[in-house]
């Protein structure tokens, strides 16, 4: 064989072996490669120059980029070189359509705010259309800010679920049960019939977990709370509720029922590992031990609790006692946004100043509250909250080149104290890209803004007629 023929053979062999490697690589739906992967797995592994392979909505592999690229191929790719990849954020408590009441009434305590402003405004304005318009606005804000899962409680929750599924966002969505006539249900029987249909409708959906949401132990009777628990036992639906939000709620409960709200709920057999309890600002005596024993998930809403001057939940103690604690914004009317980056920053700082101990909640713990611990609080830790093989592919690609993030020494410090919602560049939920390079792919922002502004005028008019 002469020299040029030998070269030809060598080139052919190289081409063939490359082709074999190509064909050996497994095709997947999406590859996210390059960048620093903050996994939030059990060892809190951080992978520099990492990669994630996604197929059928789940993570099929995660590791160093070179390894992932040698094993997988995909037509759809996100190049995350120089960026940070994290699990999607989990907003553990909100009332999403209330974005339409953002800024309607501020600087009041919970009772005055609820009874003088929010309940009347809701009575006059909440329709299915209101709920859909508000939900779309809230969803757009949440996707932009990197929230991939949220836990909600409102009215017309079936319409909220419909909008959420269309936008490709994950939700634990609770239809409100409350002992006075509300927009979608005039009696408890109507409310229970609604949740029956609602929960059956969404059973087995990839994104939506339909729940029952008895509003609070002070707005729902013992009989109706027990019925809600029985419904949850029969269907497996989670129970979303508010517990011990204010000192007054606790004092009233002690007076009327001879027990704190937690002790009372335990006495009537309401608490279990399907309950998601928002606030828990004022646990008394053995309340935290009861919550731990019953496996209740607790959601801390630092900014809402601060704004309504409800108090400071003993979160450091809850963490020491290994309660399942997550983080939420509460409705935008008491926050006034759905921004989990602010919530993480606030939770770390609020507890430092309140306890006088700067070590009490670290940046890493604050990030855990919005991811893996948030997943635990929603009883979804097997599916979401961290980037691990087998889990749902809910992830963020975060720009690291913005002025507020430069320079970078510690990734958790950066995420909690420096990153802003606007730094979120791309968002993947259940393997689907819902925002790419800051462009929303499932929602029309222009229409959403116009629809929401039109509702502002209606709301103002509805309230002025009562004065
Ligand atoms: Zn709430």
């Amino acid at each position: 064989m002469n020299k040029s023929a030998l070269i030809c053979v060598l080139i052919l062999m190289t081409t063939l072996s490359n082709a074999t490697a190509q064909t050996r690589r497994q095709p997947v739906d999406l590859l996210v490669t390059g960048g620093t992967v903050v996994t939030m797995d059990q060892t809190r592994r951080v992978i520099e120059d990492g990669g994630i392979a996604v197929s059928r909505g789940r993570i099929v592999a995660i590791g160093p980029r070179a390894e992932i690229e040698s094993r997988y191929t995909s037509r759809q790719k996100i190049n995350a070189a120089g960026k940070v990849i994290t699990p999607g954020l989990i907003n553990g408590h909100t009332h999403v359509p209330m974005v339409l009441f953002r800024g309607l009434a501020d600087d009041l305590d919970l009772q005055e705010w609820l009874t003088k402003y929010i309940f009347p405004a809701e009575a006059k304005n909440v329709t299915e259309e209101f709920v859909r318009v508000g939900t779309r606005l809230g969803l757009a804000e949440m996707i932009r800010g990197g929230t991939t899962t949220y836990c909600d409680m409102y009215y017309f929750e079936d319409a909220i679920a419909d909008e959420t599924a269309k936008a490709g966002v994950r939700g634990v969505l609770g239809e409100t049960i409350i002992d006075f006539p509300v927009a979608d249900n005039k009696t408890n029987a109507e409310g229970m019939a609604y949740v029956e249909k609602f929960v059956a409708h969404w059973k087995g959906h990839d994104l939506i977990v339909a729940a029952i949401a008895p509003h609070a132990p002070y707005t729902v009777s013992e009989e109706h709370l027990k019925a809600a628990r029985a419904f949850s036992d029969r269907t497996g639906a989670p129970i979303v509720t508010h517990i011990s939000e204010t000192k007054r709620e606790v004092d009233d409960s002690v007076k009327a029922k001879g027990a704190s709200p937690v002790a009372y709920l335990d006495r009537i057999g309401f608490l279990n590992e399907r309950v998601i309890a928002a606030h828990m600002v004022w646990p008394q005596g053995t309340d935290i031990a009861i919550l731990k024993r019953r496996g209740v998930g607790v959601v801390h809403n630092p900014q809402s609790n601060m704004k309504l001057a409800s108090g400071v939940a003993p979160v450091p103690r809850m963490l020491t006692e290994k309660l399942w604690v997550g983080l939420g914004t509460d409705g935008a009317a008491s926050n006034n946004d759905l921004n989990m980056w602010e919530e993480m920053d606030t939770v770390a700082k609020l507890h430092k100043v309140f306890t006088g101990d700067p070590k009490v909640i670290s940046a890493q713990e604050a990030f855990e509250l919005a991811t893996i611990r948030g997943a635990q609080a929603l009883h979804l830790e097997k599916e979401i909250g961290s980037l691990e093989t087998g889990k749902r592919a809910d992830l963020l690609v975060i720009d690291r080149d913005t002025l507020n993030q430069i320079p970078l020494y510690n990734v958790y410090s950066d995420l909690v104290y420096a990153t802003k919602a606007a730094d979120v560049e791309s968002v993947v939920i259940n393997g689907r890209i819902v925002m790419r390079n800051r462009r929303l792919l499932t929602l029309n922002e222009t229409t959403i803004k116009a629809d929401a502004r039109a509702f502002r005028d209606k709301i103002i008019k509805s309230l002025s007629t009562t004065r």
Side-chain angles (χ1 to χ4, degrees):
M1 194 183 286
N2 65 30
K3 199 176 166 190
S4 64
L6 182 67
I7 290 169
C8 278
V9 170
L10 282 175
I11 289 172
L12 186 67
M13 281 172 68
T14 318
T15 317
L16 278 172
S17 81
N18 279 349
T20 320
Q22 287 277 344
T23 52
R24 267 200 223 117
R25 282 194 288 168
Q26 189 185 322
V28 290
D29 298 332
L30 172 68
L31 279 178
V32 185
T33 53
T36 304
V37 184
V38 179
T39 65
M40 303 312 285
D41 68 5
Q42 285 223 324
T43 62
R44 302 294 184 256
R45 185 165 59 132
V46 174
I47 310 166
E48 293 299 341
D49 196 18
I52 300 172
V54 174
S55 199
R56 292 186 187 149
R58 292 188 186 268
I59 295 170
V60 292
I62 179 165
R65 178 180 58 81
E67 187 194 315
I68 298 296
E69 282 180 341
S70 72
R71 287 167 55 203
Y72 299 94
T73 178
S74 176
R75 263 186 248 161
Q76 198 178 207
K77 286 178 187 154
I78 296 178
N79 178 1
K83 303 176 198 299
V84 178
I85 305 167
T86 71
L89 304 181
I90 298 170
N91 185 347
H93 181 66
T94 191
H95 312 275
V96 70
M98 291 184 83
V99 286
L100 294 179
F101 295 138
R102 190 193 324 257
L104 177 72
D106 298 310
D107 312 327
L108 301 164
D109 69 33
L110 179 71
Q111 277 312 311
E112 193 178 0
W113 178 76
L114 265 183
T115 54
K116 281 200 189 154
Y117 297 90
I118 296 304
F119 286 153
E122 286 184 331
K124 286 180 189 313
N125 292 286
V126 176
T127 58
E128 186 179 329
E129 197 205 346
F130 170 99
V131 161
R132 284 187 183 272
V133 168
T135 300
R136 288 196 291 265
L137 176 63
L139 286 166
E141 184 184 353
M142 285 194 284
I143 294 174
R144 279 217 169 281
T147 292
T148 55
T149 296
Y150 75 108
C151 180
D152 197 70
M153 172 202 286
Y154 212 60
Y155 312 105
F156 298 103
E157 202 71 33
D158 192 59
I160 296 177
D162 184 46
E163 295 295 340
T164 304
K166 279 188 204 155
V169 174
R170 193 179 303 289
V172 177
L173 308 176
E175 167 68 14
T176 301
I177 299 292
I178 195 162
D179 283 356
F180 53 80
V182 288
D184 52 348
N185 295 298
K186 301 302 167 207
T187 63
N188 180 260
E190 276 181 42
M192 293 304 288
Y194 187 109
V195 289
E196 191 79 53
K197 267 173 72 179
F198 171 53
V199 167
H201 179 195
W202 293 98
K203 200 169 175 54
H205 195 276
D206 267 354
L207 292 169
I208 307 299
V209 178
I212 183 166
H215 175 264
Y218 63 93
T219 49
V220 184
S221 70
E222 179 175 334
E223 184 197 346
H224 294 162
L225 287 169
K226 284 179 173 167
R229 167 65 199 265
F231 172 81
S232 166
D233 286 348
R234 180 161 55 77
T235 58
I239 302 178
V240 179
T241 188
H242 298 107
I243 306 179
S244 296
E245 181 170 0
T246 63
K247 181 76 169 51
R248 180 175 158 183
E249 176 191 340
V250 175
D251 292 346
D252 289 352
S253 174
V254 169
K255 250 184 251 159
K257 296 164 183 131
S260 72
V262 172
Y264 157 71
L265 290 170
D266 194 43
R267 189 174 75 202
I268 68 167
F270 180 80
L271 302 175
N272 73 355
E273 71 294 338
R274 283 190 305 277
V275 174
I276 301 159
H279 299 304
M280 204 55 70
V281 179
W282 296 96
Q284 305 291 298
T286 57
D287 284 359
I288 289 182
I290 294 173
L291 296 168
K292 175 74 193 149
R293 192 163 63 239
R294 299 295 178 210
V296 173
V298 170
V299 180
H300 176 42
N301 302 272
Q303 290 202 341
S304 170
N305 296 159
M306 288 163 73
K307 186 157 179 274
L308 296 165
S310 299
V312 180
V315 173
R317 221 181 95 214
M318 293 177 187
L319 291 175
T320 311
E321 303 203 15
K322 299 196 166 49
L323 260 195
W324 290 346
V325 192
L327 203 56
T329 56
D330 207 350
S334 61
N335 188 298
N336 291 357
D337 55 40
L338 303 175
N339 184 334
M340 288 298 292
W341 301 96
E342 284 189 9
E343 230 56 46
M344 282 190 272
D345 182 84
T346 303
V347 74
K349 290 173 183 168
L350 168 65
H351 295 280
K352 294 181 200 314
V353 72
F354 189 65
T355 60
D357 177 5
K359 295 179 180 169
V360 74
I361 292 183
S362 66
Q364 184 180 321
E365 282 171 320
F367 198 67
E368 288 170 359
L369 288 169
T371 54
I372 187 63
R373 289 180 189 269
Q376 288 168 341
L378 301 188
H379 313 294
L380 286 175
E381 70 280 3
K382 290 196 179 83
E383 292 285 317
I384 58 169
S386 59
L387 301 177
E388 295 179 70
T389 302
K391 280 202 176 180
R392 301 278 183 177
D394 293 5
L395 60 92
L396 315 179
V397 176
I398 299 159
D399 189 355
R400 198 195 245 188
D401 195 39
T402 53
L403 294 172
N404 50 286
Q405 306 208 80
I406 297 171
L408 184 144
Y409 298 101
N410 174 293
V411 75
Y412 294 113
S413 162
D414 187 64
L415 288 167
V416 170
Y417 298 127
T419 302
K420 307 293 170 202
D423 298 330
V424 178
E425 198 175 88
S426 297
V427 177
V428 174
I429 306 176
N430 211 50
R432 178 184 185 191
I433 306 174
V434 296
M435 182 167 81
R436 183 159 203 154
N437 294 327
R438 297 192 171 85
R439 202 164 72 81
L440 297 180
L441 302 181
T442 57
L443 290 163
N444 182 332
E445 230 168 307
T446 313
T447 318
I448 285 171
K449 287 181 193 170
D451 290 350
R453 288 194 178 112
F455 256 104
R456 173 187 179 271
D457 301 339
K458 275 192 202 171
I459 292 163
I460 290 177
K461 228 172 162 185
S462 80
L463 292 178
S464 63
T465 54
T466 59
R467 279 176 198 150

